[in-house]
Coordinates of all heavy atoms in Angstrom, one line a residue:
M1 N 0.8 -1.2 0.0 CA 0.0 0.0 0.0 C 0.9 1.2 0.0 O 1.9 1.3 0.7 CB -0.9 0.0 1.3 CG -1.8 1.2 1.4 SD -2.9 1.1 2.8 CE -4.0 -0.1 2.2
K2 N 0.4 2.2 -0.8 CA 1.2 3.5 -0.7 C 0.2 4.6 -0.3 O -1.0 4.5 -0.5 CB 1.7 3.8 -2.1 CG 0.7 4.0 -3.2 CD 1.4 4.4 -4.5 CE 0.3 4.5 -5.6 NZ 0.9 4.8 -6.9
F3 N 0.8 5.6 0.3 CA 0.0 6.8 0.7 C 0.2 7.9 -0.2 O 1.3 8.3 -0.5 CB 0.3 7.1 2.2 CG -0.3 6.2 3.2 CD1 0.2 5.0 3.5 CD2 -1.5 6.6 3.8 CE1 -0.4 4.1 4.4 CE2 -2.1 5.7 4.7 CZ -1.6 4.5 5.0
V4 N -1.0 8.5 -0.7 CA -1.0 9.6 -1.7 C -1.6 10.8 -1.1 O -2.6 10.8 -0.4 CB -1.8 9.2 -2.9 CG1 -1.8 10.3 -3.9 CG2 -1.2 7.9 -3.5
K5 N -0.9 11.9 -1.2 CA -1.4 13.2 -0.7 C -2.7 13.6 -1.5 O -2.6 13.6 -2.8 CB -0.4 14.3 -0.9 CG -0.8 15.7 -0.4 CD 0.3 16.7 -0.6 CE -0.3 18.1 -0.4 NZ 0.7 19.1 -0.7
V6 N -3.8 13.9 -0.9 CA -5.0 14.2 -1.6 C -5.6 15.5 -1.2 O -6.5 16.0 -1.9 CB -6.1 13.1 -1.3 CG1 -5.7 11.8 -1.9 CG2 -6.4 12.9 0.2
A7 N -5.2 16.1 -0.1 CA -5.9 17.4 0.3 C -5.0 18.0 1.4 O -4.1 17.4 2.0 CB -7.3 17.1 0.9
A8 N -5.3 19.3 1.6 CA -4.8 20.0 2.8 C -5.7 19.7 4.0 O -6.9 19.7 3.8 CB -4.6 21.4 2.5
D9 N -5.2 19.5 5.1 CA -5.9 19.2 6.3 C -7.1 20.3 6.5 O -8.2 20.0 6.8 CB -5.0 19.2 7.5 CG -5.7 18.9 8.8 OD1 -6.2 17.8 9.0 OD2 -5.8 19.8 9.7
Q10 N -6.7 21.5 6.3 CA -7.7 22.6 6.5 C -8.9 22.7 5.5 O -9.8 23.4 5.7 CB -7.0 24.0 6.6 CG -6.4 24.3 5.2 CD -5.7 25.7 5.3 OE1 -5.4 26.2 6.3 NE2 -5.5 26.3 4.1
E11 N -8.7 21.9 4.4 CA -9.8 21.9 3.4 C -11.1 21.2 3.9 O -12.1 21.3 3.4 CB -9.4 21.2 2.2 CG -8.4 22.0 1.3 CD -8.0 21.2 0.1 OE1 -8.8 20.9 -0.7 OE2 -6.8 20.8 0.0
I12 N -10.9 20.4 5.0 CA -12.0 19.6 5.5 C -12.4 20.0 6.9 O -11.7 19.7 7.8 CB -11.7 18.1 5.4 CG1 -11.2 17.7 4.0 CG2 -12.9 17.2 5.8 CD1 -10.3 16.5 4.0
A13 N -13.5 20.8 6.9 CA -13.9 21.3 8.2 C -14.6 20.2 9.0 O -15.0 19.2 8.5 CB -14.9 22.5 8.0
E14 N -14.8 20.5 10.3 CA -15.5 19.5 11.2 C -16.9 19.4 10.6 O -17.6 20.4 10.3 CB -15.6 20.1 12.6 CG -16.4 19.3 13.6 CD -15.8 17.9 13.8 OE1 -14.6 17.7 13.7 OE2 -16.6 16.9 14.1
G15 N -17.4 18.1 10.4 CA -18.7 17.9 9.9 C -18.8 18.1 8.4 O -19.9 18.0 7.8
G16 N -17.6 18.3 7.7 CA -17.6 18.5 6.3 C -17.1 17.3 5.5 O -16.5 16.4 6.1
M17 N -17.4 17.3 4.2 CA -17.0 16.2 3.3 C -16.4 16.8 2.1 O -16.6 17.9 1.7 CB -18.3 15.4 2.9 CG -19.0 14.8 4.1 SD -20.2 13.5 3.5 CE -21.5 14.6 2.9
K18 N -15.5 16.0 1.5 CA -14.8 16.4 0.3 C -14.5 15.1 -0.5 O -14.0 14.1 0.0 CB -13.5 17.1 0.6 CG -12.7 17.5 -0.6 CD -11.4 18.2 -0.2 CE -10.5 18.5 -1.4 NZ -11.1 19.4 -2.3
G19 N -14.9 15.1 -1.8 CA -14.6 14.0 -2.7 C -13.3 14.2 -3.4 O -12.9 15.3 -3.8
V20 N -12.5 13.2 -3.5 CA -11.2 13.3 -4.2 C -11.1 12.0 -5.1 O -11.7 11.0 -4.9 CB -10.0 13.3 -3.2 CG1 -10.1 14.6 -2.3 CG2 -9.9 12.1 -2.3
E21 N -10.2 12.2 -6.1 CA -9.9 11.0 -6.9 C -8.4 10.7 -6.9 O -7.6 11.6 -7.0 CB -10.3 11.3 -8.4 CG -10.2 10.1 -9.3 CD -10.7 10.3 -10.7 OE1 -11.5 11.3 -10.9 OE2 -10.3 9.5 -11.6
V22 N -8.1 9.5 -6.6 CA -6.7 9.0 -6.6 C -6.5 7.8 -7.5 O -7.1 6.8 -7.2 CB -6.3 8.6 -5.1 CG1 -4.9 8.3 -5.0 CG2 -6.7 9.7 -4.1
E23 N -5.8 8.0 -8.5 CA -5.5 6.9 -9.5 C -6.7 6.2 -9.8 O -6.8 4.9 -9.8 CB -4.4 6.0 -8.9 CG -3.1 6.8 -8.6 CD -2.0 5.9 -8.1 OE1 -2.1 4.7 -8.1 OE2 -0.9 6.5 -7.8
G24 N -7.8 6.9 -10.2 CA -9.0 6.3 -10.7 C -10.0 5.8 -9.6 O -11.1 5.4 -9.9
Q25 N -9.5 6.0 -8.3 CA -10.4 5.6 -7.2 C -11.1 6.9 -6.7 O -10.4 7.8 -6.3 CB -9.7 4.8 -6.1 CG -9.0 3.6 -6.7 CD -8.3 2.8 -5.6 OE1 -8.8 2.5 -4.5 NE2 -7.0 2.5 -5.9
E26 N -12.4 6.9 -6.6 CA -13.1 8.0 -6.1 C -13.4 7.8 -4.6 O -14.0 6.8 -4.2 CB -14.4 8.3 -6.8 CG -14.1 8.5 -8.3 CD -15.2 9.1 -9.0 OE1 -15.5 10.3 -8.9 OE2 -15.9 8.4 -9.8
I27 N -12.9 8.7 -3.8 CA -12.9 8.6 -2.3 C -13.5 9.8 -1.7 O -13.3 10.9 -2.1 CB -11.4 8.4 -1.8 CG1 -10.8 7.2 -2.5 CG2 -11.4 8.3 -0.3 CD1 -9.3 7.1 -2.3
L28 N -14.3 9.5 -0.7 CA -15.0 10.6 0.1 C -14.3 10.7 1.4 O -14.1 9.8 2.2 CB -16.5 10.2 0.4 CG -17.2 11.2 1.3 CD1 -17.5 12.5 0.5 CD2 -18.5 10.6 1.8
L29 N -13.8 12.0 1.7 CA -13.2 12.3 3.0 C -14.2 13.0 3.8 O -15.0 13.8 3.3 CB -12.0 13.2 2.8 CG -10.9 12.6 1.8 CD1 -9.8 13.7 1.6 CD2 -10.3 11.4 2.3
A30 N -14.2 12.8 5.1 CA -15.1 13.5 6.0 C -14.4 13.6 7.4 O -13.6 12.7 7.8 CB -16.4 12.8 6.1
R31 N -14.7 14.7 8.1 CA -14.1 14.9 9.4 C -15.2 14.9 10.5 O -16.2 15.6 10.4 CB -13.4 16.3 9.5 CG -12.6 16.4 10.8 CD -12.1 17.8 11.0 NE -11.2 18.3 10.0 CZ -9.9 18.2 10.1 NH1 -9.3 17.6 11.1 NH2 -9.1 18.7 9.1
V32 N -15.0 14.0 11.4 CA -16.0 13.8 12.5 C -15.2 13.7 13.8 O -14.3 12.9 13.9 CB -16.9 12.6 12.4 CG1 -17.9 12.5 13.5 CG2 -17.6 12.6 11.0
G33 N -15.5 14.6 14.8 CA -14.8 14.5 16.0 C -13.3 14.9 15.9 O -12.5 14.4 16.6
G34 N -13.0 15.7 14.9 CA -11.6 16.1 14.6 C -10.8 15.1 13.8 O -9.8 15.5 13.3
T35 N -11.3 13.9 13.6 CA -10.6 12.9 12.8 C -11.1 12.8 11.4 O -12.3 12.9 11.1 CB -10.8 11.5 13.5 OG1 -10.2 11.6 14.8 CG2 -10.0 10.4 12.7
I36 N -10.2 12.7 10.4 CA -10.6 12.6 9.0 C -10.7 11.1 8.7 O -9.7 10.3 9.0 CB -9.6 13.3 8.1 CG1 -9.7 14.8 8.3 CG2 -9.9 13.0 6.6 CD1 -8.7 15.7 7.6
Y37 N -11.8 10.7 8.0 CA -12.0 9.3 7.6 C -12.1 9.3 6.0 O -12.5 10.3 5.4 CB -13.2 8.7 8.2 CG -13.2 8.7 9.7 CD1 -13.7 9.7 10.5 CD2 -12.6 7.7 10.4 CE1 -13.7 9.7 11.8 CE2 -12.5 7.6 11.8 CZ -13.1 8.7 12.5 OH -13.0 8.7 13.9
G38 N -12.0 8.1 5.5 CA -12.1 8.0 4.0 C -12.8 6.7 3.6 O -12.5 5.6 4.1
I39 N -13.9 6.8 2.8 CA -14.6 5.6 2.3 C -14.8 5.9 0.8 O -14.6 7.0 0.3 CB -15.9 5.4 3.0 CG1 -16.9 6.6 2.8 CG2 -15.7 5.0 4.4 CD1 -18.3 6.3 3.3
E40 N -15.2 4.8 0.1 CA -15.6 5.0 -1.3 C -16.6 6.1 -1.5 O -17.5 6.3 -0.6 CB -16.3 3.7 -1.8 CG -15.5 2.7 -2.4 CD -16.3 1.5 -2.8 OE1 -17.0 1.6 -3.9 OE2 -16.3 0.5 -2.1
A41 N -16.5 6.8 -2.6 CA -17.3 8.0 -2.7 C -18.7 7.7 -3.3 O -19.6 8.6 -3.3 CB -16.6 9.0 -3.7
I42 N -18.9 6.5 -3.8 CA -20.1 6.2 -4.6 C -20.9 5.1 -3.9 O -20.4 4.0 -3.5 CB -19.8 5.8 -6.0 CG1 -19.1 6.9 -6.7 CG2 -21.1 5.4 -6.8 CD1 -18.5 6.6 -8.0
C43 N -22.2 5.4 -3.6 CA -23.1 4.4 -3.0 C -23.2 3.2 -3.8 O -23.5 3.3 -5.1 CB -24.5 5.1 -2.7 SG -25.6 3.9 -1.9
N44 N -23.2 2.0 -3.2 CA -23.3 0.8 -4.0 C -24.7 0.2 -4.0 O -24.9 -0.9 -4.5 CB -22.3 -0.3 -3.4 CG -22.6 -0.6 -2.0 OD1 -23.5 -0.1 -1.4 ND2 -21.8 -1.5 -1.4
H45 N -25.6 0.9 -3.5 CA -27.0 0.5 -3.6 C -27.6 0.8 -5.0 O -28.1 -0.1 -5.6 CB -27.9 1.1 -2.5 CG -29.4 0.9 -2.7 ND1 -30.3 1.8 -3.1 CD2 -30.1 -0.3 -2.6 CE1 -31.5 1.3 -3.3 NE2 -31.4 0.0 -3.0
G46 N -27.5 2.0 -5.3 CA -27.8 2.4 -6.7 C -26.5 3.0 -7.3 O -25.5 2.3 -7.4
Y47 N -26.5 4.2 -7.6 CA -25.3 4.9 -8.0 C -25.5 6.4 -7.6 O -26.2 7.1 -8.3 CB -25.1 4.7 -9.5 CG -23.7 5.3 -9.9 CD1 -22.6 4.5 -10.0 CD2 -23.6 6.6 -10.3 CE1 -21.4 5.0 -10.4 CE2 -22.4 7.2 -10.7 CZ -21.3 6.3 -10.7 OH -20.1 6.8 -11.1
A48 N -24.8 6.8 -6.6 CA -25.0 8.2 -6.2 C -23.7 8.6 -5.5 O -23.1 7.8 -4.8 CB -26.1 8.3 -5.2
Y49 N -23.3 9.9 -5.7 CA -22.2 10.4 -5.0 C -22.6 10.8 -3.6 O -23.4 11.7 -3.4 CB -21.6 11.6 -5.8 CG -20.8 11.2 -6.9 CD1 -21.3 10.9 -8.2 CD2 -19.4 11.0 -6.8 CE1 -20.5 10.5 -9.2 CE2 -18.6 10.6 -7.8 CZ -19.2 10.4 -9.0 OH -18.4 9.9 -10.1
L50 N -21.9 10.2 -2.6 CA -22.3 10.4 -1.2 C -22.0 11.8 -0.8 O -22.6 12.3 0.1 CB -21.5 9.4 -0.4 CG -22.0 7.9 -0.6 CD1 -21.0 6.9 0.1 CD2 -23.4 7.7 -0.1
E51 N -21.0 12.5 -1.5 CA -20.7 13.8 -1.1 C -21.9 14.8 -1.3 O -22.0 15.8 -0.6 CB -19.6 14.3 -2.0 CG -19.1 15.7 -1.7 CD -18.0 16.2 -2.6 OE1 -17.6 15.5 -3.6 OE2 -17.5 17.3 -2.4
E52 N -22.8 14.3 -2.1 CA -24.1 15.2 -2.4 C -25.1 14.9 -1.3 O -26.2 15.5 -1.3 CB -24.6 14.9 -3.8 CG -23.6 15.4 -4.8 CD -23.9 14.9 -6.2 OE1 -25.0 14.3 -6.4 OE2 -23.1 15.2 -7.1
G53 N -24.8 13.9 -0.4 CA -25.8 13.6 0.7 C -25.4 14.4 1.9 O -24.9 15.6 1.8
G54 N -25.6 13.8 3.0 CA -25.3 14.6 4.3 C -24.4 13.7 5.2 O -24.2 12.6 5.0
L55 N -24.0 14.4 6.3 CA -23.2 13.7 7.3 C -23.9 13.9 8.6 O -24.1 15.1 9.1 CB -21.8 14.3 7.3 CG -20.8 13.6 8.2 CD1 -20.5 12.2 7.8 CD2 -19.5 14.4 8.1
E56 N -24.4 12.8 9.3 CA -25.1 12.9 10.6 C -24.3 12.1 11.6 O -24.4 10.8 11.5 CB -26.5 12.4 10.4 CG -27.4 13.3 9.5 CD -28.8 12.8 9.3 OE1 -29.1 11.7 9.8 OE2 -29.5 13.5 8.6
G57 N -23.5 12.7 12.4 CA -22.6 12.0 13.3 C -21.7 11.2 12.4 O -21.0 11.8 11.5
F58 N -21.6 9.9 12.6 CA -20.7 9.1 11.8 C -21.4 8.5 10.6 O -20.7 7.8 9.8 CB -20.1 7.9 12.6 CG -19.1 8.4 13.7 CD1 -19.4 8.3 15.0 CD2 -17.8 8.8 13.3 CE1 -18.5 8.8 16.0 CE2 -16.9 9.2 14.3 CZ -17.3 9.2 15.6
N59 N -22.6 8.8 10.4 CA -23.4 8.3 9.3 C -23.3 9.2 8.0 O -23.6 10.4 8.1 CB -24.9 8.2 9.6 CG -25.2 6.9 10.3 OD1 -24.4 5.9 10.3 ND2 -26.4 6.8 10.8
V60 N -22.9 8.7 6.9 CA -22.9 9.4 5.6 C -24.3 9.0 5.0 O -24.5 7.8 4.8 CB -21.8 8.9 4.7 CG1 -21.9 9.6 3.4 CG2 -20.4 9.3 5.4
V61 N -25.1 10.0 4.7 CA -26.5 9.7 4.2 C -26.5 9.9 2.7 O -26.1 10.9 2.2 CB -27.5 10.7 4.9 CG1 -28.9 10.3 4.4 CG2 -27.3 10.7 6.4
C62 N -26.9 8.8 2.0 CA -26.9 8.8 0.6 C -28.0 9.8 0.1 O -29.1 9.7 0.6 CB -27.2 7.4 0.0 SG -27.3 7.4 -1.8
P63 N -27.7 10.6 -0.9 CA -28.7 11.5 -1.4 C -29.9 10.9 -2.2 O -30.9 11.5 -2.3 CB -27.9 12.5 -2.3 CG -26.8 11.6 -2.8 CD -26.5 10.7 -1.7
L64 N -29.7 9.6 -2.6 CA -30.7 9.0 -3.4 C -31.9 8.4 -2.7 O -33.0 8.6 -2.9 CB -30.1 8.1 -4.4 CG -30.7 7.9 -5.8 CD1 -31.0 9.2 -6.5 CD2 -29.8 7.0 -6.7
H65 N -31.5 7.5 -1.7 CA -32.6 6.8 -1.0 C -32.4 6.8 0.5 O -33.0 6.1 1.2 CB -32.6 5.3 -1.4 CG -32.7 5.1 -2.9 ND1 -31.7 4.5 -3.6 CD2 -33.7 5.4 -3.8 CE1 -32.0 4.5 -4.9 NE2 -33.2 5.0 -5.0
D66 N -31.5 7.7 1.0 CA -31.3 8.0 2.4 C -30.7 6.8 3.2 O -30.8 6.8 4.4 CB -32.7 8.4 3.1 CG -33.1 9.8 2.6 OD1 -32.2 10.6 2.2 OD2 -34.3 10.0 2.6
G67 N -30.2 5.8 2.5 CA -29.4 4.8 3.2 C -28.1 5.4 3.7 O -27.7 6.5 3.3
C68 N -27.5 4.7 4.7 CA -26.3 5.3 5.3 C -25.2 4.3 5.4 O -25.4 3.1 5.5 CB -26.6 5.7 6.8 SG -27.8 7.1 6.8
F69 N -24.0 4.8 5.5 CA -22.8 4.1 5.8 C -22.0 4.8 6.9 O -22.1 6.0 7.0 CB -21.8 4.1 4.6 CG -22.4 3.4 3.4 CD1 -23.0 4.1 2.4 CD2 -22.3 2.0 3.2 CE1 -23.6 3.5 1.2 CE2 -22.8 1.4 2.1 CZ -23.5 2.1 1.1
D70 N -21.3 4.0 7.7 CA -20.5 4.5 8.8 C -19.2 5.0 8.1 O -18.4 4.2 7.5 CB -20.2 3.4 9.8 CG -19.5 4.0 11.0 OD1 -18.6 4.8 10.9 OD2 -19.9 3.5 12.1
I71 N -18.9 6.3 8.3 CA -17.7 6.9 7.7 C -16.4 6.2 8.2 O -15.4 6.2 7.6 CB -17.7 8.4 7.9 CG1 -16.5 9.1 7.1 CG2 -17.5 8.8 9.4 CD1 -16.7 9.0 5.7
R72 N -16.5 5.6 9.4 CA -15.3 5.0 10.0 C -14.9 3.7 9.4 O -13.7 3.3 9.4 CB -15.5 4.8 11.5 CG -15.7 6.1 12.3 CD -16.1 5.9 13.7 NE -17.5 5.3 13.7 CZ -18.2 5.1 14.8 NH1 -17.7 5.4 16.0 NH2 -19.4 4.6 14.7
T73 N -15.9 3.0 8.9 CA -15.7 1.6 8.5 C -16.2 1.3 7.1 O -15.8 0.2 6.5 CB -16.4 0.6 9.4 OG1 -17.8 0.9 9.4 CG2 -15.9 0.8 10.9
G74 N -17.1 2.1 6.5 CA -17.8 1.7 5.3 C -18.9 0.7 5.4 O -19.5 0.3 4.5
Q75 N -19.2 0.3 6.7 CA -20.3 -0.6 6.9 C -21.6 0.1 6.7 O -21.8 1.2 7.1 CB -20.2 -1.2 8.4 CG -19.0 -2.1 8.6 CD -19.1 -3.4 7.8 OE1 -20.2 -4.0 7.6 NE2 -18.0 -3.8 7.2
P76 N -22.6 -0.6 6.2 CA -24.0 0.0 6.0 C -24.6 0.1 7.4 O -24.5 -0.9 8.2 CB -24.7 -1.1 5.1 CG -24.0 -2.3 5.4 CD -22.5 -2.0 5.6
T77 N -25.3 1.2 7.7 CA -25.9 1.4 9.0 C -27.4 1.6 8.8 O -28.1 1.4 9.8 CB -25.3 2.6 9.7 OG1 -25.3 3.7 8.8 CG2 -23.9 2.3 10.1
V78 N -27.9 2.1 7.7 CA -29.3 2.3 7.5 C -29.7 1.8 6.1 O -29.0 2.1 5.1 CB -29.7 3.8 7.6 CG1 -31.1 4.1 7.2 CG2 -29.3 4.4 9.0
P79 N -30.8 0.9 6.0 CA -31.2 0.4 4.7 C -31.7 1.6 3.8 O -32.1 2.6 4.4 CB -32.3 -0.6 5.0 CG -32.5 -0.5 6.5 CD -31.6 0.5 7.1
P80 N -31.7 1.4 2.5 CA -31.5 0.2 1.8 C -30.1 -0.2 1.6 O -29.8 -1.3 0.9 CB -32.2 0.4 0.5 CG -32.0 1.9 0.3 CD -32.2 2.5 1.6
C81 N -29.1 0.5 2.1 CA -27.7 0.1 2.0 C -27.5 -1.2 2.8 O -27.9 -1.3 4.0 CB -26.8 1.1 2.5 SG -27.0 2.7 1.7
S82 N -26.9 -2.2 2.2 CA -26.8 -3.5 2.9 C -25.4 -4.1 2.7 O -25.0 -5.0 3.4 CB -27.8 -4.5 2.4 OG -27.7 -4.7 1.0
E83 N -24.6 -3.6 1.7 CA -23.3 -4.2 1.5 C -22.3 -3.1 1.9 O -22.5 -1.9 1.6 CB -23.1 -4.5 0.0 CG -24.0 -5.6 -0.5 CD -23.7 -7.0 0.2 OE1 -22.5 -7.2 0.4 OE2 -24.6 -7.7 0.4
P84 N -21.2 -3.5 2.5 CA -20.2 -2.5 2.9 C -19.5 -1.9 1.7 O -19.4 -2.5 0.6 CB -19.2 -3.3 3.7 CG -19.4 -4.7 3.5 CD -20.8 -4.8 3.0
I85 N -19.1 -0.7 1.8 CA -18.2 -0.1 0.8 C -16.8 0.0 1.4 O -16.6 -0.1 2.6 CB -18.7 1.3 0.3 CG1 -18.9 2.3 1.4 CG2 -20.0 1.1 -0.5 CD1 -19.3 3.7 1.0
R86 N -15.9 0.3 0.5 CA -14.5 0.2 0.9 C -14.1 1.4 1.9 O -14.6 2.5 1.7 CB -13.6 0.3 -0.3 CG -12.2 0.0 0.0 CD -11.4 -0.3 -1.3 NE -10.0 -0.2 -1.0 CZ -9.1 -0.1 -1.9 NH1 -9.4 -0.1 -3.2 NH2 -7.8 0.0 -1.6
S87 N -13.3 1.1 2.8 CA -12.8 2.1 3.8 C -11.3 2.3 3.5 O -10.6 1.3 3.2 CB -13.0 1.6 5.2 OG -12.3 2.4 6.1
Y88 N -10.8 3.5 3.5 CA -9.4 3.8 3.2 C -8.7 4.3 4.5 O -9.2 5.1 5.2 CB -9.3 4.8 2.1 CG -9.8 4.4 0.8 CD1 -11.1 4.4 0.4 CD2 -8.9 3.8 -0.2 CE1 -11.6 4.0 -0.8 CE2 -9.4 3.4 -1.4 CZ -10.7 3.5 -1.7 OH -11.1 3.1 -3.0
P89 N -7.5 3.8 4.7 CA -6.7 4.4 5.8 C -6.3 5.8 5.5 O -5.9 6.1 4.3 CB -5.5 3.5 5.9 CG -5.4 2.8 4.6 CD -6.8 2.8 4.0
I90 N -6.3 6.7 6.5 CA -5.9 8.1 6.3 C -4.7 8.4 7.2 O -4.7 7.9 8.4 CB -7.1 9.0 6.7 CG1 -8.4 8.7 5.9 CG2 -6.7 10.5 6.6 CD1 -8.3 9.1 4.5
R91 N -3.8 9.2 6.7 CA -2.7 9.6 7.5 C -2.5 11.1 7.3 O -2.7 11.6 6.2 CB -1.4 8.8 6.9 CG -0.2 9.0 7.7 CD 0.9 8.3 7.0 NE 0.9 6.8 7.2 CZ 1.7 6.0 6.7 NH1 2.7 6.4 5.8 NH2 1.7 4.7 6.9
I92 N -2.3 11.7 8.4 CA -2.0 13.2 8.4 C -0.5 13.4 8.7 O 0.0 12.9 9.6 CB -2.8 13.9 9.5 CG1 -4.3 13.5 9.5 CG2 -2.6 15.4 9.4 CD1 -5.0 14.0 8.2
E93 N 0.1 14.2 7.8 CA 1.5 14.5 8.0 C 1.6 16.0 7.8 O 1.3 16.5 6.7 CB 2.3 13.8 6.9 CG 2.5 12.3 7.2 CD 3.4 11.6 6.2 OE1 4.1 12.2 5.5 OE2 3.2 10.3 6.2
G94 N 1.9 16.7 8.9 CA 2.0 18.1 8.8 C 0.6 18.7 8.6 O -0.4 18.4 9.3
A95 N 0.5 19.4 7.5 CA -0.8 20.0 7.1 C -1.5 19.3 6.0 O -2.4 19.8 5.4 CB -0.6 21.5 6.8
D96 N -1.0 18.1 5.7 CA -1.5 17.4 4.5 C -2.2 16.1 4.9 O -1.9 15.4 5.8 CB -0.3 17.0 3.5 CG 0.3 18.3 3.0 OD1 -0.4 19.2 2.7 OD2 1.5 18.3 2.9
V97 N -3.2 15.7 4.0 CA -4.0 14.5 4.2 C -3.5 13.5 3.1 O -3.5 13.8 2.0 CB -5.5 14.7 4.1 CG1 -6.3 13.5 4.3 CG2 -5.9 15.8 5.0
F98 N -3.2 12.3 3.6 CA -2.8 11.2 2.7 C -3.8 10.1 2.8 O -4.3 9.7 3.9 CB -1.4 10.7 3.0 CG -0.3 11.6 2.8 CD1 -0.1 12.7 3.7 CD2 0.6 11.5 1.7 CE1 1.0 13.6 3.4 CE2 1.6 12.4 1.5 CZ 1.8 13.4 2.3
V99 N -4.1 9.4 1.6 CA -4.9 8.2 1.6 C -4.1 7.0 1.2 O -3.3 7.1 0.2 CB -6.1 8.4 0.6 CG1 -6.9 7.2 0.5 CG2 -7.0 9.6 1.1
G100 N -4.3 5.9 1.9 CA -3.6 4.7 1.5 C -4.4 3.9 0.5 O -5.6 3.6 0.7
I101 N -3.7 3.6 -0.6 CA -4.4 2.8 -1.7 C -3.5 1.7 -2.1 O -2.3 1.7 -1.9 CB -4.7 3.7 -2.9 CG1 -3.4 4.3 -3.5 CG2 -5.7 4.8 -2.6 CD1 -3.7 5.0 -4.9
E102 N -4.1 0.7 -2.7 CA -3.3 -0.5 -3.1 C -2.5 -0.2 -4.3 O -2.9 0.6 -5.1 CB -4.3 -1.7 -3.4 CG -5.2 -2.0 -2.3 CD -4.5 -2.6 -1.1 OE1 -3.3 -3.1 -1.3 OE2 -5.1 -2.6 0.0
Ligands
LIG1 S1 -28.3 4.7 -4.2 FE1 -27.6 5.1 -2.2 S2 -29.2 4.4 -0.9 FE2 -29.9 3.9 -2.9

């Protein structure tokens, strides 16, 4: 796994989300409780960009059918989402955010 710089730490406010693309992988970053997490950016129930939905606590709410995933793990938490989406390791170095990809 390698870590790729994707954003500046200050670009992601508390309770905020930001979509990034790294080597063809679309990843959603979000900050909750001061920590930045990363999961796949696209809902696997239908096809929707989660960045266009909302963030409620650790739940990322899909804009299409209101299903949710846990931003910490990619696990589905509210139906109709039922299959996990990928979770990415995040590393902060100085003022930069790095995502770990295969
Ligand atoms: S497309 Fe996301 S819940 Fe249906």
Side-chain angles (χ1 to χ4, degrees):
M1 177 175 290
K2 64 178 176 180
F3 280 81
V4 179
K5 180 182 167 184
V6 292
D9 182 66
Q10 64 178 21
E11 286 179 67
I12 306 157
E14 177 63 29
M17 300 192 284
K18 178 182 173 63
V20 297
E21 184 175 343
V22 187
E23 298 184 7
Q25 300 181 52
E26 298 195 80
I27 300 169
L28 176 72
L29 304 175
R31 187 192 298 270
V32 182
T35 300
I36 295 174
Y37 301 94
I39 60 174
E40 268 182 75
I42 298 169
C43 182
N44 61 1
H45 171 249
Y47 185 93
Y49 279 87
L50 295 168
E51 184 181 4
E52 295 168 6
L55 188 60
E56 295 178 359
F58 290 108
N59 274 347
V60 178
V61 185
C62 179
L64 209 50
H65 308 114
D66 294 331
C68 295
F69 297 95
D70 190 317
I71 187 66
R72 297 169 292 186
T73 61
Q75 290 295 318
T77 52
V78 175
C81 302
S82 60
E83 297 292 325
I85 57 176
R86 189 166 166 194
S87 170
Y88 292 86
I90 302 293
R91 188 180 283 173
I92 307 295
E93 288 181 17
D96 296 322
V97 181
F98 292 76
V99 174
I101 59 172
E102 302 296 339

